[in-house]
Amino acid sequence: MELSFMHKLGVVCLILLVLNSAVCCFADSYRKSRASYYNTPDGYGNPWGACGYGEYGRTVNGGNVAAVSGDIWKGGSGCGACYQIRCKIAQYCDEDGTRVVVTDYGEGDRTEFIMSEHAFSNLARDSAASAKLMKYGVVDIEYKRVSCKYSNRNVLVKIHEKSNNPYYFAILLLNVGGKCDVAAVQLWQEDYKEWSPLRRVYGTVFDYENPPSGKITLRFQMDCGERLVWVHPKKPIPSDWNAGEAYDTGLQF
């Protein structure tokens, strides 16, 4: 029996719905890998991490941070992403594990995550289990991308310490929530009536030589997996911007 056009259309829609659901489920599922940890004097993050966060990268998320590599690093655009990680040693590992923020690049022995000592210890169910877990050095894990949450904190544009008004302008973004990556940054050239791209120097640091005088208007391209979105801050960078200062965008992602 030949199906009518409407029946055929219904079948196609059903197939697409099933495929879309499968992709969504896969994206939200845990993946297997291995994790280790690195030492710092206080057990928190490395302030000299490859993302360029500085002191922010040491203490963000309570020091629960990690260095990553491969597909998670994404050439630096993976900086600031959040992951839920749980280890697989039943007698020692907490069922939910811990959430980390990517702040650095690091490669290990088949490890995709090299966690701060503080974050690694939080994989354990209690302090006694933590002591046992630390002795392993490297453990099998499961991980998945999750939304970053910065309650009631706006995204900040921090002027990099090497910036020099008005000759050299370099920035990084802080408190980027959600599950999107910062793919690109552009500034508005009023004289030419066009947007000009900033260069990704490394990690999350973008720069522009000889920026326009006056207030600087930026926009950010966010890679949300299935789509790219341009986001416009509610506030421009003031004309008297200074290296090391952080400016409120008025946005929360």
Side-chain angles (χ1 to χ4, degrees), residues 50-241:
C51 287
Y53 286 128
E55 183 63 18
Y56 175 90
R58 187 181 75 84
T59 60
V60 66
N61 194 39
N64 290 304
V65 298
V68 299
S69 58
D71 292 339
I72 301 175
W73 174 247
K74 300 178 184 177
S77 65
C79 289
C82 293
Y83 291 88
Q84 191 71 27
I85 301 176
R86 60 191 187 191
C87 57
K88 303 301 295 176
I89 306 174
Q91 63 267 40
Y92 301 136
C93 297
D94 181 80
E95 182 178 338
D96 296 322
T98 191
R99 178 174 302 194
V100 300
V101 177
V102 174
T103 59
D104 199 357
Y105 178 88
E107 297 182 19
D109 179 17
R110 294 180 290 120
T111 60
E112 291 183 279
F113 292 89
I114 304 178
M115 307 167 68
S116 66
E117 186 177 350
H118 186 67
F120 193 85
S121 67
N122 283 340
L123 294 173
R125 59 175 63 220
D126 54 41
S127 58
S130 174
K132 296 286 188 181
L133 202 62
M134 301 300 285
K135 292 181 180 180
Y136 278 81
V138 180
V139 294
D140 292 326
I141 62 163
E142 294 178 335
Y143 72 92
K144 68 176 179 179
R145 179 81 182 265
V146 294
S147 291
C148 295
K149 298 179 180 179
Y150 299 99
S151 299
N152 301 318
R153 282 188 280 176
N154 290 345
V155 176
L156 301 177
V157 175
K158 182 179 179 182
I159 310 298
H160 194 274
E161 285 77 3
K162 292 187 177 180
S163 296
N164 182 15
N165 192 351
Y167 306 107
Y168 179 68
F169 180 71
I171 65 164
L172 55 151
L173 301 185
L174 309 180
N175 303 338
V176 178
K179 293 173 69 174
C180 300
D181 301 322
V182 181
V185 180
Q186 295 182 346
L187 59 75
W188 177 250
Q189 293 274 23
E190 180 62 28
D191 292 344
Y192 303 102
K193 304 299 181 184
E194 66 180 16
W195 291 98
S196 295
L198 276 70
R199 176 186 63 148
R200 185 188 293 275
V201 187
Y202 63 90
T204 190
V205 179
F206 294 83
D207 76 351
Y208 196 94
E209 293 187 4
N210 301 313
S213 59
K215 297 179 181 180
I216 297 180
T217 300
L218 300 172
R219 69 174 183 175
F220 316 125
Q221 187 182 57
M222 308 303 295
D223 183 351
C224 301
E226 297 179 353
R227 60 196 176 102
L228 295 172
V229 181
W230 284 105
V231 179
H232 296 255
K234 297 179 180 179
K235 304 176 183 179
I237 306 297
S239 58
D240 59 348
W241 53 267

